[in-house]
Amino acid sequence: MPFRSRPPATPPEQPAASRRLSLHRPAAPALPPDRPVPPSPAASPGARREAAPPPRVQRVAPPVAVSAPAGTRLNKRLAELGLCSRREADDWIAHGWVYVNGEVAEMGVKVTPQDRVTVERAAQRQQDSQVTILLNKPIGYVSGQAEDGHTPAVMLINPRTHWQGDASGLRFTPPHLRGLAPAGRLDIDSVGLLVLTQDGRVARQLIGEDSTLDKEYLVRVVYEGGAPVARHPDERSAPLQEIDDRDPVSTNVQAVFPREGLERLRHGLSLDGQPLKPAKVEWQNPEQLRFVLVEGKKRQIRRMCEQVGLKVVGLKRIRMGRVLLGNLPVGQWRFLAPGEQF
């Protein structure tokens, strides 16, 4: 019986390590490479003695579906690691930049802590080119998409409104508008610091479900007293700058506003059936309160004030985390500088 030599095993080719960022801490055990099976003597009695050619190896591995019913979706895992937002993770997966156990991951895949996840450095290069913009939003602009005929705040982002005092060293180009989205809305009648970003990491830090970043507001109020007015979250209050005859006290509100009302603003109120997290609330002057919140429910400050008999007639956001509005003029914007963090 003729002897047939077995061809040497050829391990599958892996993408270059220098092109990937590994997200796995414990080392994964190496799997033995697949070995080609020699032809059967019965199937080919006249086969040659030469070794069979090695199998062809694809440069890009086919998509892998890591099935783990109790696992975490890959886009959520990447977001939990602080690398990007879920939407950005989906974009990376669609580009083929994310690998699970050495295989190109497909959309919707689930992973476990034992799976080895790596990301192409092309994803990091894309992030490095993204910008975050700080705008001093005026009254009359909506934070997001155009609604009810009102202009979105992103329309203010152009070379003419770029603040001359911007010390970031960055220069505006049209691609900076691509994918630019608000991270923390301001109502149409509210003013102050509005953050617009292309970077999913910034968005998650400011408005993610697990965000603990505080935001500071200056709120001008009048005291209506009596029973609070219940409003639906989608119902728009009267314009903030309007003060009418129904407002019993519009000056020295601090002198007549009950102390227990201030304590309720700090802790004890609920919105939409959910208790609110503790807030810092104090008088800035006799007609103006200072709010520091760590959450951002829809029209939260106005609805909180209504529950204690106050009417908001002016609202301005002056800080998000460590980033201040400062002396940025109304209607102008600047870049978040390299090294500047929330």
Side-chain angles (χ1 to χ4, degrees):
M1 178 176 178
F3 173 76
R4 293 178 176 83
S5 61
R6 184 171 302 199
T10 303
E13 180 179 343
Q14 298 290 335
S18 61
R19 294 170 51 207
R20 298 197 200 161
L21 301 174
S22 176
L23 312 180
H24 187 70
R25 292 180 177 84
L31 298 178
D34 293 335
R35 300 178 65 87
V37 179
S40 170
S44 53
R48 297 179 181 179
R49 295 175 178 271
E50 292 85 358
R56 296 181 62 185
V57 179
Q58 297 179 347
R59 291 187 60 84
V60 179
V64 59
V66 179
S67 57
T72 302
R73 287 177 68 94
L74 181 56
N75 61 355
K76 183 178 180 181
R77 166 73 71 81
L78 293 172
E80 288 174 346
L81 292 171
L83 296 177
C84 58
S85 66
R86 292 192 191 185
R87 180 184 299 178
E88 195 172 15
D90 287 338
D91 184 56
W92 290 2
I93 296 169
H95 276 85
W97 291 341
V98 184
Y99 296 75
V100 178
N101 300 328
E103 305 284 344
V104 178
E106 63 180 10
M107 199 69 69
V109 69
K110 289 186 176 182
V111 294
T112 67
Q114 289 72 40
D115 291 313
R116 184 170 181 268
V117 181
T118 54
V119 178
E120 290 277 2
R121 292 189 182 275
Q124 184 177 2
R125 290 195 295 269
Q126 183 194 59
Q127 278 189 330
D128 292 341
S129 66
Q130 294 172 336
V131 299
T132 296
I133 286 174
L134 312 175
L135 169 70
N136 189 345
K137 188 188 89 67
I139 287 177
Y141 289 83
V142 292
S143 297
Q145 298 295 324
E147 57 183 65
D148 300 331
H150 297 293
T151 306
V154 72
M155 297 300 293
L156 290 170
I157 310 303
N158 58 66
R160 296 186 304 275
T161 55
H162 189 185
W163 184 38
Q164 292 184 351
D166 188 345
S168 67
L170 300 175
R171 185 175 181 178
F172 174 78
T173 61
H176 289 154
L177 296 175
R178 190 177 301 128
L180 197 64
R185 60 169 287 151
L186 279 175
D187 294 336
I188 188 171
D189 294 318
S190 302
V191 301
L193 181 59
L194 178 66
V195 177
L196 303 162
T197 186
Q198 296 176 320
D199 194 333
R201 295 168 299 180
V202 172
R204 187 172 186 273
Q205 183 183 13
L206 296 180
I207 59 174
E209 295 177 359
D210 55 351
S211 174
T212 57
L213 207 74
D214 60 350
K215 298 95 177 174
E216 184 173 349
Y217 304 81
L218 297 179
V219 184
R220 184 174 170 230
V221 295
V222 295
Y223 184 47
E224 295 183 309
V229 179
R231 287 191 175 95
H232 189 274
D234 292 327
E235 181 184 353
R236 179 170 294 166
S237 301
L240 297 183
Q241 65 271 25
E242 177 183 312
I243 301 178
D244 53 41
D245 294 337
R246 294 172 299 171
D247 301 328
V249 180
S250 58
T251 60
N252 200 10
V253 180
Q254 181 180 4
V256 297
F257 183 63
R259 176 71 183 179
E260 56 270 22
L262 188 64
E263 294 301 325
R264 290 185 65 205
L265 286 173
R266 291 170 176 165
H267 195 207
L269 297 178
S270 298
L271 291 179
D272 306 323
Q274 298 293 326
L276 295 174
K277 296 178 181 179
K280 296 179 181 178
V281 185
E282 59 187 23
W283 288 102
Q284 190 78 4
N285 60 51
E287 291 84 36
Q288 186 168 267
L289 287 165
R290 171 180 169 268
F291 279 73
V292 179
L293 306 179
V294 293
E295 56 189 339
K297 294 183 179 294
K298 195 170 186 178
R299 296 186 174 89
Q300 178 172 340
I301 292 178
R302 278 192 277 176
R303 294 164 67 198
M304 289 173 66
C305 287
E306 287 169 355
Q307 291 191 35
V308 295
L310 292 173
K311 176 182 176 181
V312 174
V313 294
L315 188 150
K316 180 179 184 180
R317 184 159 59 201
I318 61 172
R319 180 177 63 84
M320 297 185 75
R322 290 173 287 183
V323 174
L324 301 173
L325 177 64
N327 55 354
L328 181 64
V330 176
Q332 296 189 28
W333 62 273
R334 70 174 180 89
F335 287 107
L336 184 73
E340 189 177 12
Q341 298 181 349
F342 289 95

